[in-house]
Amino acid sequence: MADAQQTTVQFARGLEGVIAAETRIGFVDGNLGRLVYRGFDISTLVEQSNYEEVSYLLLNGKLPNKEEYSNYVSRLKKLKYLEKDEYDLISKLGKVSHPMSTLRTVVSYIGAKDPRTVEPDVAVQEDLGLELIAKMPTIVAAINRAHNGLDFVKPDPDLSYSSDFFYQSLGRKPSTIEAKMLDTALILHADHGMNASTFAAMLTISTLSDMYSSATSAISALKGPLHGGANERALSLIQKVGVPENAEKIIGEMIDRKDKIMGFGHRVYKVYDPRAKILKQFAERVTTANKQQVLFKTANKIEEVMISRLGSKGIFPNVDFYSGMLYYSIGFNPDIFTPIFAVGRISGWVARALEYVRDNKIFRPKALYSGETGPKKYVPVNERD
Ligand SMILES: CC(C)(COP(=O)(O)OP(=O)(O)OC[C@H]1O[C@@H](n2cnc3c(N)ncnc32)[C@H](O)[C@@H]1OP(=O)(O)O)[C@@H](O)C(=O)NCCC(=O)NCCS
């Protein structure tokens, strides 16, 4: 039975609709289909900016001037390298562990070796955050290599954030369109409201724990299929449908059975997800360039069937529908899709954790107690039935 005090605040399962923090970083308008970082529409940023600049924007609240940009990029480039024991750990876990489990373990391991993680002040948290942003592509690329039984490719000092991630992951330099596509995908994933992994990052740092622990919590939360895993399943659906001619029948039957179609629908967006709109344009261009048009055409037909049947309910493609297909078409295997998400999202995790800890209040929600209140009599073990 709940006591009177516990029910003074409204009970919301999963904290749905509860406002638990204030932010100036990012805003999702689900009705108008807008995603805004620090006042900039996401479409403006993907057209005119790049991941490094967007990362700076999320962290600092403004675009960098020339000198700030060059210092920021140099710091990221300097910090992106891993040590031998870190590569050894990735090799050891490489084939046996799921890439997300390896990522969680490696981030935790690097933090464990760093004495600055003991009671860090905010300035130290900022340094740790920058280091995490710098190293994340190198870690995920190395995990990709090890998981596929390939030799590591070391960072290239001259490449940009996303191109070096591409190069270290796939062992070749990206074409212009591939580089722009991957940079765009990372920007589109950089921040998205107070989702589960961002909340996990903020919750951990609110105890005044360190940024590596905060990122480890976020990665753990992202690992679950309800958060980071839908693009893998969306791709397998597109592959199962195979050709556009099959879409009407297969998808129609799934809708009739009330199956959930992966890569469609969103808790916040009730119109077309602005990230999916941008990725769809890249999907068409990239698959034309690498002769995988059938993937795109099949996806496009699935979208058509879905919108004609469920568009009136506010069901449209979300970011996961085209992202998996894009990653796959340039050579990434599906089990690395969620770690790629983490490479983009690391800037959002760090920015929001720092914003929160600068004006900190430890998170401590309550649960509505619905168990027995007693007091019950204790019966010794040898007298129980
Ligand atoms: C993301 C998601 C959990 C949002 O759920 P939600 O806002 O709670 O929406 P609901 O589950 O209440 O769905 C509302 C209606 O739309 C239908 N619907 C929602 N998403 C659907 C989908 N992907 N395929 C088919 N029908 C869907 C529901 O069955 C429900 O129908 P009903 O009114 O007849 O019962 C849900 O759309 C989903 O599971 N999508 C697939 C997974 C996915 O792509 N996740 C990545 C999100 S970025």
Side-chain angles (χ1 to χ4, degrees):
M1 196 211 306
D3 70 44
Q5 238 188 352
Q6 283 179 306
T7 55
T8 52
V9 176
Q10 203 192 344
F11 170 41
R13 280 186 77 225
L15 299 181
E16 189 174 1
V18 172
I19 295 173
E22 193 178 351
T23 184
R24 303 177 76 80
I25 294 174
F27 168 58
V28 186
D29 186 331
N31 296 320
L32 291 181
R34 283 184 72 210
L35 173 59
V36 174
Y37 295 167
R38 302 277 193 187
F40 290 92
D41 259 300
I42 197 74
S43 55
T44 306
L45 292 172
V46 298
E47 262 166 39
Q48 301 190 37
S49 186
N50 60 30
Y51 187 82
E52 291 89 327
E53 201 177 57
V54 169
S55 163
Y56 184 99
L57 172 72
L58 291 171
L59 291 171
N60 298 290
K62 67 170 193 83
L63 289 171
N65 64 27
K66 214 167 158 190
E67 194 189 341
E68 288 164 338
Y69 178 73
S70 135
N71 288 341
Y72 186 68
V73 170
S74 314
R75 284 184 78 194
L76 288 178
K77 285 191 170 177
K78 208 169 131 206
L79 292 167
K80 68 180 171 181
Y81 296 88
L82 298 184
E83 293 177 7
K84 183 182 175 304
D85 56 318
E86 293 157 2
Y87 280 112
D88 289 346
L89 177 61
I90 294 171
S91 287
K92 204 177 210 171
L93 293 170
K95 281 196 189 148
V96 290
S97 140
H98 187 279
M100 278 304 280
S101 302
T102 309
L103 178 60
R104 183 194 60 223
T105 304
V106 173
V107 166
S108 175
Y109 174 74
I110 298 175
K113 292 193 308 171
D114 191 331
R116 293 172 301 165
T117 56
V118 181
E119 294 189 30
D121 60 21
V122 173
V124 171
Q125 300 278 32
E126 288 169 0
D127 288 345
L128 299 176
L130 196 75
E131 192 169 286
L132 269 159
I133 295 170
K135 289 190 193 310
M136 194 63 115
T138 312
I139 300 170
V140 171
I143 292 172
N144 186 49
R145 303 294 293 178
H147 195 64
N148 290 296
L150 300 166
D151 290 340
F152 294 123
V153 176
K154 297 293 166 67
D156 181 323
D158 298 325
L159 288 177
S160 71
Y161 192 88
S162 50
S163 289
D164 200 20
F165 174 50
F166 186 111
Y167 170 64
Q168 291 180 65
S169 301
L170 301 176
R172 66 179 176 90
K173 306 258 168 84
S175 66
T176 309
I177 174 76
E178 286 171 332
K180 181 67 185 165
M181 181 283 275
L182 191 58
D183 199 60
T184 297
L186 296 185
I187 292 173
L188 294 177
H189 283 88
D191 188 65
H192 205 248
M194 207 160 145
N195 54 80
S197 59
T198 299
F199 181 42
M202 292 164 65
L203 172 64
T204 298
I205 209 135
S206 83
T207 67
L208 301 186
S209 182
D210 67 283
M211 193 59 84
Y212 272 90
S213 301
S214 170
T216 305
S217 297
I219 294 163
S220 307
L222 184 66
K223 178 171 178 285
L226 290 186
H227 188 5
N231 54 7
E232 216 171 313
R233 290 156 200 227
L235 172 68
S236 90
L237 176 70
I238 300 167
Q239 289 173 321
K240 183 179 147 205
V241 172
V243 288
E245 296 70 35
N246 292 341
E248 196 86 54
K249 183 171 184 310
I250 297 180
I251 301 300
E253 285 171 1
M254 290 178 78
I255 294 171
D256 292 341
R257 281 200 306 268
K258 293 223 158 258
D259 288 353
K260 281 267 164 74
I261 316 294
M262 291 295 131
F264 286 86
H266 199 275
R267 178 60 53 83
V268 184
Y269 294 117
K270 296 304 168 197
V271 293
Y272 211 115
D273 181 334
R275 302 166 300 171
K277 206 177 274 176
I278 294 167
L279 288 179
K280 183 178 177 184
Q281 291 161 7
F282 276 99
E284 184 160 23
R285 288 166 62 195
V286 171
T287 53
T288 303
N290 63 20
K291 305 204 177 351
Q292 303 219 34
Q293 290 107 317
V294 71
L295 261 185
F296 175 76
K297 287 185 176 156
T298 307
N300 195 39
K301 185 68 192 170
I302 295 173
E303 175 186 324
E304 237 178 80
V305 176
M306 283 296 286
I307 294 180
S308 75
R309 293 279 307 267
L310 298 176
S312 56
K313 273 190 182 179
I315 308 294
F316 293 92
N318 60 48
V319 69
D320 291 319
F321 189 58
Y322 288 106
S323 62
M325 194 192 91
L326 268 167
Y327 300 148
Y328 180 76
S329 78
I330 59 171
F332 284 104
N333 286 329
D335 47 17
I336 206 75
F337 292 174
T338 312
I340 299 175
F341 186 149
V343 175
R345 187 56 56 87
I346 185 67
S347 294
W349 288 336
V350 170
R352 291 204 183 230
L354 285 173
E355 181 186 56
Y356 194 80
V357 82
R358 285 188 191 114
D359 183 24
N360 194 56
K361 182 168 175 70
I362 188 169
F363 281 102
R364 179 60 175 91
K366 284 181 171 182
L368 188 69
Y369 180 68
S370 54
E372 296 173 67
T373 48
K376 293 167 104 177
K377 185 173 177 292
Y378 183 84
V379 181
V381 66
N382 54 2
E383 291 173 27
R384 290 177 213 155
D385 295 338

